[in-house]
Amino acid sequence: MADVQGNLQNIAAQVGGAAAGVASAAQSVANVAAAPLGNAGTVEIMAELGKMRQMLVRIDERLRVVEERVGRVEEHLVGLQRQGALLPILLHNSTRDLDGRLSFPTGVNREALPQTRAELYNMDARACRAAATALGLPILEGRRLVQQRRNQIAEYLGVERL
């Protein structure tokens, strides 16, 4: 979390520095505009406007980077929240004996899930697919053994693996 804060502070400082540069260029344009205009004044104004455009392009680039980083931070925080919500379930399930009732996240189809550790250890391929789908677990690539799917479900629920 400290890394996230450090990154965001660094980004804010960079954007702030770019904004200060634009403000400085704008002041230069205002100073030139206050002077009597002639061909030289117009050239100076155009040069300052060119500098401001370049600074705005750099600010836009930095803001895109900031938005991408903030998006990644938000995704990370959502993952942490999900993990935090599962902790009570993991703790409960880790202490269950073979016939003790398992707990599950709210909103899942409990009928597709094993109710005890013994049921989990004896699930066939069809039951494993149904449970994994109900829990929103990723698909295991390739031809996987039923035992690998059982272990995936057990790990997600905090049950000791076979």
Side-chain angles (χ1 to χ4, degrees), residues 86 89-90 105 108 135-137 151-159:
L86 282 177
I89 294 166
L90 298 175
V108 298
L135 293 170
L137 297 176
N151 285 338
Q152 181 193 34
I153 295 165
E155 185 175 317
Y156 182 82
L157 293 174
V159 173

Side-chain angles (χ1 to χ4, degrees), residues 107-157:
V108 298
N109 178 7
R110 292 172 181 267
E111 292 179 19
L113 299 171
Q115 299 304 305
T116 65
R117 191 179 276 193
E119 286 180 24
L120 171 60
Y121 294 158
N122 292 309
M123 289 170 57
D124 62 14
R126 182 177 299 156
C128 286
R129 278 193 302 276
T133 300
L135 293 170
L137 297 176
I139 296 171
L140 295 176
E141 296 297 325
R143 295 183 60 103
R144 298 295 180 151
L145 299 174
V146 173
Q147 189 58 45
Q148 290 170 310
R149 186 56 111 169
R150 286 181 193 142
N151 285 338
Q152 181 193 34
I153 295 165
E155 185 175 317
Y156 182 82
L157 293 174

Side-chain angles (χ1 to χ4, degrees), residues 22-32 52:
V22 170
S24 173
Q27 184 60 45
S28 296
V29 170
N31 291 341
V32 171
M52 288 176 68

